Amino acid sequence: MHGLMMGSPLLISSLLTHAERHHGATEIVSRRTEGDIHRYTYRDLARRSRQVANSLLAAGVKPGDRIATLAWNGYRHLELYYGVSGIGAVLHTLNPRLFPEQIAWIANHAEDRFLFFDTTFAPVVEALQPHAKTLERWIALADIARLPSPTAIAGLESYEAFIGGASDVLEWPLFDEGTASSLCYTSGTTGDPKGVLYSHRSTVLHSYAAALPDALNLSARDAVLPVVPMFHVNAWGLPYAAPMVGAKLVLPGPGLDGKSLYELFESERVTVSAGVPTVWLGLLNYVTAGDLKFSTMRRTVIGGSACPPAMLRTFEENYGVQVLHAWGMTEMSPLGTVGVLKNKHAGLSREEQYAVQYKQGRAIYGVDMKIVDDMGRELPQDGVAFGNLLVRGPWVIRSYFKGAGGDPLEDGWFPTGDVATIDADGFMQITDRSKDVIKSGGEWIGSIDLENIAMAHPGVAMAAVIAVRHPKWDERPLLVVVRKPGVELTREEMLRHYEGKIAKWWTPDDVAFVDTIPLGATGKMLKAKLREQFKDYRLPTA
Ligand code: AMP
């Protein structure tokens, strides 16, 4: 017997319709590439998104066509989020931090038809244009007066001119909620990048989950500033979740340095933000140096790589900002877990609570999760046993775009490539990426713990721990450190810093001081590059 409720499909356009009707006057504030601050409302966003949709339809865009963007977080990018997906076309967010040849490869693989880009990326577009095989139109997110000039981009058009003449009247079409809505490539360290193709259904369900109190806790009382870029996993779903709950959106454009962010946090009374640890390093340095405080910021989501415990403490103790340590992946839309305490933790000491918060958190409903050994046998949730982390759920990938890499699933579960423990309360802790784990004498050493301890040293700006060949133990950990400017720091002092904090045999065998650690296009440390750099390194213990 079927239920007798309406079968309204879960479509992205319904988020916008809701925001227009019920939060029409709520603001969206953007720092533009033009340098000024732009303000308008959800009502304006809805109107201009319909203009985008009508312009695309008039230009011959059909359902399923891929429309690419190379853009910062800003209102025009947001209009494309809704205008493109709303008509059943696929919004393909390209990552401008990749090399132009890589971007061209991805655009060709996706068979993108149009490219919308911020004028700051004109040089990237010039470099990729000769390699692009399927792109037909090149549209800069600017009015005609501000088009990049001189430029080598052939056929350059203005976004404002493109949508300017279009009607803002449109009934958003209804279609199957399983229809593809957006596409984001993930660049694995080996092999070609692979596309993750989200659906309307997965996106809307993910937004519901992201907004929950024990997830990102979003509401119409919030002003949300996603530092996490809209070109990487849809800015963790915030451009969809904010209109769902009627939160004010503050979009920082290209200004991701500590000063620019801090000014926007204060002037727009931002209450919640989200980003990777490297971004927060810059912000914390800025506020610490200027002895500043946050007057409205209450929470920040930190994920993408492990939040160093020292950062979590600084935010909470010095600035009264709650850290929501979150874990996820491009393949998971991306939210998987968030580290919010339970009622039973209320009576614990602050130190004991921190120990729980350092973990990556609990699964939000919709994400099913387990750890298994190398034979695929499920391991106990005792907070000690660690194994390969598997996930499944309605916003977890089933197959990569065009079947790249074959069937990724194991018995219906997606292997994340992360190694983790899960405790009796459901808190998951990543100990490593499976490819980064250090295998010493047949035993695993997790590099994240070792990095967190190093990061807690006041003289350390950044730290990575990698495996280096060892004749007896096969692999041993090497600590690679970037010192804070002007700080003297010796190998002996760094190694002493580990005493009493970990099992002795986990202590790195040596310390290498470097000027920089290579970061990837999404702000993560490129450990494969570091391993390559240190592949002939001779440990003193070897
Ligand atoms: P991406 O698909 O580029 O977002 O990368 C996903 C990967 O980032 C995960 O599989 C983890 O290895 C890593 N990651 C994400 N969040 C965290 C976190 N909070 N702690 C540790 N690693 C994380």
Side-chain angles (χ1 to χ4, degrees), residues 186 232-233 302-307 325-331 334 360 416-418 430 433 448 522 524:
T186 165
H232 183 58
V233 218
I302 303 187
S305 27
C307 172
H325 191 191
W327 165 86
M329 311 180 70
T330 308
E331 287 88 338
Q360 274 72 9
T416 61
D418 287 321
I430 303 269
R433 288 293 288 163
I448 293 180
T522 56
K524 291 182 220 276

Side-chain angles (χ1 to χ4, degrees), residues 183-195:
L183 177 64
C184 182
Y185 277 67
T186 165
S187 24
T189 40
T190 53
D192 290 326
K194 296 198 280 287

Side-chain angles (χ1 to χ4, degrees), residues 276-360:
V276 295
T278 36
V279 164
W280 301 128
L281 276 181
L283 179 74
L284 284 177
N285 285 343
Y286 178 76
V287 287
T288 309
D291 200 16
L292 304 166
K293 295 278 174 229
F294 296 103
S295 29
T296 54
M297 253 275 267
R298 293 291 165 262
R299 308 185 293 293
T300 188
V301 189
I302 303 187
S305 27
C307 172
M311 177 177 285
L312 194 148
R313 292 178 90 104
T314 307
F315 263 120
E316 302 222 343
E317 287 173 9
N318 302 5
Y319 298 102
V321 174
Q322 183 196 4
V323 169
L324 302 170
H325 191 191
W327 165 86
M329 311 180 70
T330 308
E331 287 88 338
M332 299 175 66
S333 304
L335 274 183
T337 62
V338 185
V340 179
L341 298 178
K342 289 183 171 179
N343 190 33
K344 67 178 285 189
H345 300 117
L348 297 182
S349 71
R350 198 66 193 95
E351 285 308 312
E352 290 166 321
Q353 291 179 339
Y354 276 140
V356 181
Q357 283 180 275
Y358 295 156
K359 299 188 175 191
Q360 274 72 9

